[in-house]
mmCIF file of all heavy atoms in Angstrom:
data_model
loop_
_atom_site.group_PDB
_atom_site.id
_atom_site.type_symbol
_atom_site.label_atom_id
_atom_site.label_comp_id
_atom_site.label_asym_id
_atom_site.label_seq_id
_atom_site.Cartn_x
_atom_site.Cartn_y
_atom_site.Cartn_z
ATOM 1 N N THR L 4 -1.666 -7.221 -3.923
ATOM 2 C CA THR L 4 -0.971 -8.495 -3.754
ATOM 3 C C THR L 4 0.449 -8.415 -4.267
ATOM 4 O O THR L 4 1.394 -8.865 -3.611
ATOM 5 C CB THR L 4 -1.731 -9.614 -4.479
ATOM 6 O OG1 THR L 4 -3.072 -9.687 -3.960
ATOM 7 C CG2 THR L 4 -1.039 -10.958 -4.293
ATOM 8 N N TYR L 5 0.638 -7.849 -5.465
ATOM 9 C CA TYR L 5 1.961 -7.783 -6.077
ATOM 10 C C TYR L 5 2.662 -6.448 -5.849
ATOM 11 O O TYR L 5 3.838 -6.292 -6.179
ATOM 12 C CB TYR L 5 1.854 -8.039 -7.584
ATOM 13 C CG TYR L 5 1.404 -9.433 -7.927
ATOM 14 C CD1 TYR L 5 0.153 -9.670 -8.455
ATOM 15 C CD2 TYR L 5 2.249 -10.520 -7.715
ATOM 16 C CE1 TYR L 5 -0.263 -10.953 -8.773
ATOM 17 C CE2 TYR L 5 1.842 -11.803 -8.028
ATOM 18 C CZ TYR L 5 0.586 -12.016 -8.555
ATOM 19 O OH TYR L 5 0.185 -13.295 -8.860
ATOM 20 N N GLY L 6 1.935 -5.452 -5.329
ATOM 21 C CA GLY L 6 2.550 -4.160 -5.059
ATOM 22 C C GLY L 6 2.872 -3.359 -6.296
ATOM 23 O O GLY L 6 3.829 -2.570 -6.291
ATOM 24 N N ILE L 7 2.104 -3.514 -7.387
ATOM 25 C CA ILE L 7 2.377 -2.801 -8.624
ATOM 26 C C ILE L 7 1.106 -2.147 -9.149
ATOM 27 O O ILE L 7 -0.006 -2.580 -8.850
ATOM 28 C CB ILE L 7 2.960 -3.727 -9.718
ATOM 29 C CG1 ILE L 7 1.963 -4.851 -10.051
ATOM 30 C CG2 ILE L 7 4.297 -4.304 -9.296
ATOM 31 C CD1 ILE L 7 2.406 -5.733 -11.196
ATOM 32 N N THR L 8 1.283 -1.079 -9.919
ATOM 33 C CA THR L 8 0.169 -0.432 -10.605
ATOM 34 C C THR L 8 -0.035 -1.105 -11.954
ATOM 35 O O THR L 8 0.896 -1.241 -12.741
ATOM 36 C CB THR L 8 0.449 1.060 -10.806
ATOM 37 O OG1 THR L 8 0.626 1.672 -9.526
ATOM 38 C CG2 THR L 8 -0.712 1.739 -11.518
ATOM 39 N N LEU L 9 -1.264 -1.538 -12.214
ATOM 40 C CA LEU L 9 -1.565 -2.273 -13.439
ATOM 41 C C LEU L 9 -1.945 -1.361 -14.592
ATOM 42 O O LEU L 9 -1.619 -1.633 -15.742
ATOM 43 C CB LEU L 9 -2.694 -3.275 -13.182
ATOM 44 C CG LEU L 9 -2.478 -4.259 -12.027
ATOM 45 C CD1 LEU L 9 -3.696 -5.158 -11.876
ATOM 46 C CD2 LEU L 9 -1.230 -5.089 -12.249
ATOM 47 N N SER L 10 -2.666 -0.290 -14.284
ATOM 48 C CA SER L 10 -3.120 0.615 -15.346
ATOM 49 C C SER L 10 -3.585 1.916 -14.717
ATOM 50 O O SER L 10 -3.801 1.986 -13.498
ATOM 51 C CB SER L 10 -4.249 -0.029 -16.157
ATOM 52 O OG SER L 10 -4.583 0.769 -17.279
ATOM 53 N N GLN L 11 -3.759 2.949 -15.547
ATOM 54 C CA GLN L 11 -4.264 4.220 -15.053
ATOM 55 C C GLN L 11 -4.983 4.977 -16.166
ATOM 56 O O GLN L 11 -4.775 4.722 -17.347
ATOM 57 C CB GLN L 11 -3.133 5.082 -14.493
ATOM 58 C CG GLN L 11 -2.243 5.720 -15.545
ATOM 59 C CD GLN L 11 -1.341 6.803 -14.968
ATOM 60 O OE1 GLN L 11 -0.765 6.652 -13.902
ATOM 61 N NE2 GLN L 11 -1.224 7.908 -15.690
ATOM 62 N N ARG L 12 -5.850 5.895 -15.771
ATOM 63 C CA ARG L 12 -6.551 6.791 -16.687
ATOM 64 C C ARG L 12 -6.644 8.164 -16.026
ATOM 65 O O ARG L 12 -6.543 8.307 -14.819
ATOM 66 C CB ARG L 12 -7.968 6.284 -17.015
ATOM 67 C CG ARG L 12 -8.032 4.973 -17.779
ATOM 68 C CD ARG L 12 -7.567 5.131 -19.218
ATOM 69 N NE ARG L 12 -7.872 3.942 -20.003
ATOM 70 C CZ ARG L 12 -7.134 2.842 -20.043
ATOM 71 N NH1 ARG L 12 -6.035 2.774 -19.295
ATOM 72 N NH2 ARG L 12 -7.469 1.814 -20.789
ATOM 73 N N THR L 13 -6.878 9.201 -16.847
ATOM 74 C CA THR L 13 -6.985 10.567 -16.363
ATOM 75 C C THR L 13 -8.426 11.050 -16.484
ATOM 76 O O THR L 13 -9.072 10.837 -17.517
ATOM 77 C CB THR L 13 -6.074 11.509 -17.176
ATOM 78 O OG1 THR L 13 -4.740 11.016 -17.116
ATOM 79 C CG2 THR L 13 -6.096 12.914 -16.609
ATOM 80 N N VAL L 14 -8.938 11.691 -15.413
ATOM 81 C CA VAL L 14 -10.300 12.234 -15.431
ATOM 82 C C VAL L 14 -10.260 13.666 -14.908
ATOM 83 O O VAL L 14 -9.383 14.041 -14.123
ATOM 84 C CB VAL L 14 -11.270 11.381 -14.589
ATOM 85 C CG1 VAL L 14 -11.452 10.002 -15.203
ATOM 86 C CG2 VAL L 14 -10.789 11.253 -13.163
ATOM 87 N N ASP L 15 -11.256 14.460 -15.328
ATOM 88 C CA ASP L 15 -11.344 15.846 -14.893
ATOM 89 C C ASP L 15 -12.169 16.016 -13.627
ATOM 90 O O ASP L 15 -12.008 16.974 -12.896
ATOM 91 C CB ASP L 15 -11.960 16.711 -15.993
ATOM 92 C CG ASP L 15 -11.024 16.849 -17.184
ATOM 93 O OD1 ASP L 15 -9.806 16.943 -16.958
ATOM 94 O OD2 ASP L 15 -11.502 16.839 -18.334
ATOM 95 N N LYS L 16 -13.069 15.063 -13.377
ATOM 96 C CA LYS L 16 -13.950 15.184 -12.222
ATOM 97 C C LYS L 16 -13.998 13.867 -11.470
ATOM 98 O O LYS L 16 -13.920 12.797 -12.055
ATOM 99 C CB LYS L 16 -15.365 15.592 -12.655
ATOM 100 C CG LYS L 16 -15.449 16.982 -13.284
ATOM 101 C CD LYS L 16 -16.881 17.337 -13.636
ATOM 102 C CE LYS L 16 -16.965 18.733 -14.259
ATOM 103 N NZ LYS L 16 -18.354 19.094 -14.621
ATOM 104 N N LYS L 17 -14.172 13.965 -10.146
ATOM 105 C CA LYS L 17 -14.174 12.793 -9.275
ATOM 106 C C LYS L 17 -15.274 11.812 -9.648
ATOM 107 O O LYS L 17 -15.065 10.591 -9.631
ATOM 108 C CB LYS L 17 -14.352 13.256 -7.822
ATOM 109 C CG LYS L 17 -14.282 12.144 -6.787
ATOM 110 C CD LYS L 17 -12.873 11.717 -6.544
ATOM 111 C CE LYS L 17 -12.782 10.724 -5.391
ATOM 112 N NZ LYS L 17 -11.425 10.208 -5.188
ATOM 113 N N ASN L 18 -16.454 12.332 -10.025
ATOM 114 C CA ASN L 18 -17.578 11.434 -10.295
ATOM 115 C C ASN L 18 -17.501 10.753 -11.659
ATOM 116 O O ASN L 18 -18.424 10.066 -12.065
ATOM 117 C CB ASN L 18 -18.913 12.196 -10.169
ATOM 118 C CG ASN L 18 -18.986 13.409 -11.088
ATOM 119 O OD1 ASN L 18 -18.065 13.647 -11.877
ATOM 120 N ND2 ASN L 18 -20.057 14.171 -10.976
ATOM 121 N N HIS L 19 -16.397 10.967 -12.391
ATOM 122 C CA HIS L 19 -16.201 10.270 -13.661
ATOM 123 C C HIS L 19 -15.295 9.049 -13.507
ATOM 124 O O HIS L 19 -14.959 8.410 -14.507
ATOM 125 C CB HIS L 19 -15.592 11.221 -14.697
ATOM 126 C CG HIS L 19 -16.557 12.283 -15.159
ATOM 127 N ND1 HIS L 19 -16.175 13.339 -15.960
ATOM 128 C CD2 HIS L 19 -17.873 12.455 -14.915
ATOM 129 C CE1 HIS L 19 -17.221 14.117 -16.197
ATOM 130 N NE2 HIS L 19 -18.261 13.601 -15.560
ATOM 131 N N GLU L 20 -14.911 8.747 -12.278
ATOM 132 C CA GLU L 20 -14.009 7.626 -12.059
ATOM 133 C C GLU L 20 -14.609 6.301 -12.507
ATOM 134 O O GLU L 20 -13.906 5.439 -13.024
ATOM 135 C CB GLU L 20 -13.627 7.536 -10.577
ATOM 136 C CG GLU L 20 -12.642 8.599 -10.126
ATOM 137 C CD GLU L 20 -12.192 8.384 -8.691
ATOM 138 O OE1 GLU L 20 -12.482 7.289 -8.144
ATOM 139 O OE2 GLU L 20 -11.565 9.284 -8.117
ATOM 140 N N ALA L 21 -15.911 6.119 -12.294
ATOM 141 C CA ALA L 21 -16.544 4.836 -12.601
ATOM 142 C C ALA L 21 -16.394 4.470 -14.070
ATOM 143 O O ALA L 21 -16.171 3.297 -14.412
ATOM 144 C CB ALA L 21 -18.023 4.872 -12.211
ATOM 145 N N GLU L 22 -16.495 5.463 -14.963
ATOM 146 C CA GLU L 22 -16.411 5.185 -16.394
ATOM 147 C C GLU L 22 -15.012 4.703 -16.789
ATOM 148 O O GLU L 22 -14.865 3.756 -17.569
ATOM 149 C CB GLU L 22 -16.769 6.442 -17.201
ATOM 150 C CG GLU L 22 -18.262 6.773 -17.222
ATOM 151 C CD GLU L 22 -18.783 7.299 -15.909
ATOM 152 O OE1 GLU L 22 -17.949 7.740 -15.075
ATOM 153 O OE2 GLU L 22 -20.003 7.270 -15.685
ATOM 154 N N VAL L 23 -13.964 5.337 -16.246
ATOM 155 C CA VAL L 23 -12.616 4.917 -16.617
ATOM 156 C C VAL L 23 -12.249 3.595 -15.949
ATOM 157 O O VAL L 23 -11.437 2.829 -16.474
ATOM 158 C CB VAL L 23 -11.580 6.011 -16.291
ATOM 159 C CG1 VAL L 23 -11.857 7.260 -17.077
ATOM 160 C CG2 VAL L 23 -11.517 6.312 -14.800
ATOM 161 N N ILE L 24 -12.838 3.310 -14.797
ATOM 162 C CA ILE L 24 -12.633 1.996 -14.175
ATOM 163 C C ILE L 24 -13.166 0.904 -15.091
ATOM 164 O O ILE L 24 -12.552 -0.163 -15.262
ATOM 165 C CB ILE L 24 -13.291 1.932 -12.784
ATOM 166 C CG1 ILE L 24 -12.509 2.804 -11.797
ATOM 167 C CG2 ILE L 24 -13.363 0.491 -12.275
ATOM 168 C CD1 ILE L 24 -13.145 2.894 -10.429
ATOM 169 N N LEU L 25 -14.313 1.155 -15.719
ATOM 170 C CA LEU L 25 -14.864 0.192 -16.673
ATOM 171 C C LEU L 25 -13.900 -0.042 -17.832
ATOM 172 O O LEU L 25 -13.709 -1.188 -18.274
ATOM 173 C CB LEU L 25 -16.212 0.688 -17.206
ATOM 174 C CG LEU L 25 -17.391 0.681 -16.241
ATOM 175 C CD1 LEU L 25 -18.643 1.185 -16.942
ATOM 176 C CD2 LEU L 25 -17.631 -0.705 -15.689
ATOM 177 N N ASP L 26 -13.299 1.034 -18.340
ATOM 178 C CA ASP L 26 -12.348 0.887 -19.457
ATOM 179 C C ASP L 26 -11.167 0.019 -19.052
ATOM 180 O O ASP L 26 -10.718 -0.834 -19.825
ATOM 181 C CB ASP L 26 -11.850 2.274 -19.903
ATOM 182 C CG ASP L 26 -12.944 3.091 -20.558
ATOM 183 O OD1 ASP L 26 -13.929 2.487 -21.029
ATOM 184 O OD2 ASP L 26 -12.804 4.326 -20.610
ATOM 185 N N MET L 27 -10.643 0.231 -17.850
ATOM 186 C CA MET L 27 -9.485 -0.537 -17.415
ATOM 187 C C MET L 27 -9.850 -1.996 -17.147
ATOM 188 O O MET L 27 -9.048 -2.902 -17.400
ATOM 189 C CB MET L 27 -8.864 0.102 -16.162
ATOM 190 C CG MET L 27 -8.173 1.425 -16.442
ATOM 191 S SD MET L 27 -7.253 2.092 -15.026
ATOM 192 C CE MET L 27 -8.605 2.709 -14.035
ATOM 193 N N ILE L 28 -11.056 -2.233 -16.638
ATOM 194 C CA ILE L 28 -11.499 -3.614 -16.409
ATOM 195 C C ILE L 28 -11.542 -4.387 -17.720
ATOM 196 O O ILE L 28 -11.129 -5.554 -17.801
ATOM 197 C CB ILE L 28 -12.877 -3.614 -15.718
ATOM 198 C CG1 ILE L 28 -12.745 -3.158 -14.270
ATOM 199 C CG2 ILE L 28 -13.512 -5.003 -15.774
ATOM 200 C CD1 ILE L 28 -14.066 -3.012 -13.544
#
């Protein structure tokens, strides 16, 4: 909607994305 990045995290493996999404939420 606003065209901006709100936050980010770094992961070593693709299947670990869900955990860092929880942290950002």
Side-chain angles (χ1 to χ4, degrees):
T4 302
Y5 294 109
I7 61 175
T8 300
L9 305 178
S10 187
Q11 75 167 43
R12 295 289 191 277
T13 304
V14 294
D15 291 323
K16 295 182 180 180
K17 184 77 173 176
N18 57 4
H19 290 172
E20 286 186 12
E22 285 72 18
V23 298
I24 289 175
L25 289 181
D26 292 339
M27 290 187 284
I28 288 175

